[in-house]
Amino acid sequence: MHRKLGLNIDHIATIRQARRTKYPDPVAAAAIAEAAGADQITVHLREDRRHIQERDVRILRETVQTTLNLEMGATQEMLKIALDVKPDIVTLVPERREELTTEGGLDVNHHRDHLKKYVQSLRDADLKVSLFIDPDLDMLRAAHRLDAPSVELHTGKYADARDEISRRNELRRIADAARAAAKLGMRVAAGHGLHYTNVQELVLVEEIEEFNIGHAIVARAMLVGMDRAVRDMVDALRAPAK
Ligand code: PXP
């Protein structure tokens, strides 16, 4: 089965914003990545604009040949941008200014009424919506109750697990959540903290259709080039023959 690779290009923009230069341009990186086999381009437009800028999202909307996945917080500002730019998919993520990266999944229960209306507004505009949640069955059911057609499972705890027992536990939680989501008819993606090695076991979870991976690929691209870094990940995502 072919697993989709969504390349998150935020950190190309991180390098650019470090010096407020015009380079490296995430738009150029996206084009090379698609030519190398990426199935999707993912960007997170953060409220503080620390990496991806609105300009990037708008140009990518014109240039991306595969699918454009816009990650964003569920704010009114972002809703306006999403309805205007119309990415192929909107992934709602929790966002805190002080965090280094997205540290946990959305608390769907706590923000239920707000998210229900928010998801509906996006769906009314024919946008596909995904919710970035922890691999937790309660959270998954809550996402399903919001009529979200897809979820992205947060793999950060799995990636950060310090010992084999916790890693196995996290892997099981992801697999259980992926299976439950598929049974409910939801599309399942996964991402955060994944690299060329730790993704191998997740590829064995058949229900996960798509992986959104950023930091590890951009880091490798700095050493071997974007083309090679993407091709290596496309190879890593090929499920072993049964
Ligand atoms: N998926 C989501 C929803 C994210 O927020 C991020 C990080 O921005 C990623 C995937 C990619 O994570 P990483 O850069 O650790 O591969």
Side-chain angles (χ1 to χ4, degrees):
M1 179 182 159
H2 175 77
R3 308 311 168 86
K4 265 180 101 178
L5 170 61
L7 173 66
N8 181 314
I9 50 173
D10 293 351
H11 294 307
I12 300 286
T14 301
I15 298 172
R16 178 190 62 191
Q17 296 310 114
R19 289 289 177 90
R20 303 279 191 274
T21 45
K22 288 189 177 175
Y23 62 85
D25 191 342
V27 176
I32 296 169
E34 287 186 311
D39 302 288
Q40 170 165 282
I41 300 300
T42 297
V43 288
H44 184 177
L45 184 65
R46 294 186 80 102
E47 187 192 10
D48 64 10
R49 305 294 197 269
R50 68 175 73 159
H51 38 53
I52 291 294
Q53 306 296 303
E54 224 177 296
R55 164 263 183 213
D56 302 326
V57 184
R58 290 185 186 281
I59 298 178
L60 286 165
R61 173 64 298 178
E62 300 297 319
T63 60
V64 165
Q65 322 251 335
T66 54
T67 55
L68 178 63
N69 173 19
L70 176 61
E71 295 176 0
M72 58 186 219
T75 64
Q76 286 314 306
E77 182 204 13
M78 290 301 158
L79 181 62
K80 222 168 138 229
I81 294 172
L83 294 181
D84 189 28
V85 174
K86 293 195 183 301
D88 298 291
I89 178 156
V90 171
T91 302
L92 296 179
V93 302
E95 202 177 293
R96 284 190 302 119
R97 263 175 186 268
E98 63 276 20
E99 69 191 356
L100 217 54
T101 177
T102 315
E103 284 165 3
L106 271 177
D107 186 347
V108 184
N109 280 319
H110 193 239
H111 303 288
R112 190 180 51 216
D113 294 342
H114 169 66
L115 284 173
K116 178 122 192 151
K117 277 193 219 133
Y118 205 93
V119 168
Q120 196 55 51
S121 310
L122 292 165
R123 296 193 73 182
D124 286 348
D126 280 336
L127 295 178
K128 296 199 180 102
V129 186
S130 181
L131 301 183
F132 186 48
I133 58 168
D134 287 328
D136 172 280
L137 293 180
D138 281 344
M139 214 47 90
L140 184 69
R141 288 186 202 108
H144 185 244
R145 282 196 293 273
L146 294 190
D147 290 331
S150 317
V151 282
E152 178 171 335
L153 301 175
H154 195 309
T155 52
K157 281 209 177 118
Y158 161 75
D160 293 341
R162 288 181 178 263
D163 57 70
E164 190 52 20
I165 293 176
S166 7
R167 206 179 61 81
R168 291 253 139 240
N169 277 340
E170 289 305 323
L171 187 59
R172 196 170 319 114
R173 287 180 73 216
I174 296 168
D176 288 349
R179 271 172 214 136
K183 269 203 189 129
L184 290 169
M186 301 170 97
R187 222 181 128 265
V188 188
H192 209 281
L194 299 179
H195 54 61
Y196 295 82
T197 313
N198 66 10
V199 79
Q200 306 270 325
E201 283 195 280
L202 285 182
V203 171
L204 301 175
V205 181
E206 287 178 6
E207 289 79 6
I208 304 177
E209 294 179 29
E210 172 189 305
F211 292 92
N212 285 300
I213 306 178
H215 189 265
I217 299 177
V218 172
R220 183 176 289 212
M222 286 169 64
L223 304 181
V224 303
M226 183 57 85
D227 179 83
R228 169 83 188 277
V230 170
R231 284 178 200 277
D232 287 351
M233 190 56 86
V234 169
D235 284 347
L237 294 189
R238 265 188 247 284
K242 283 196 178 149

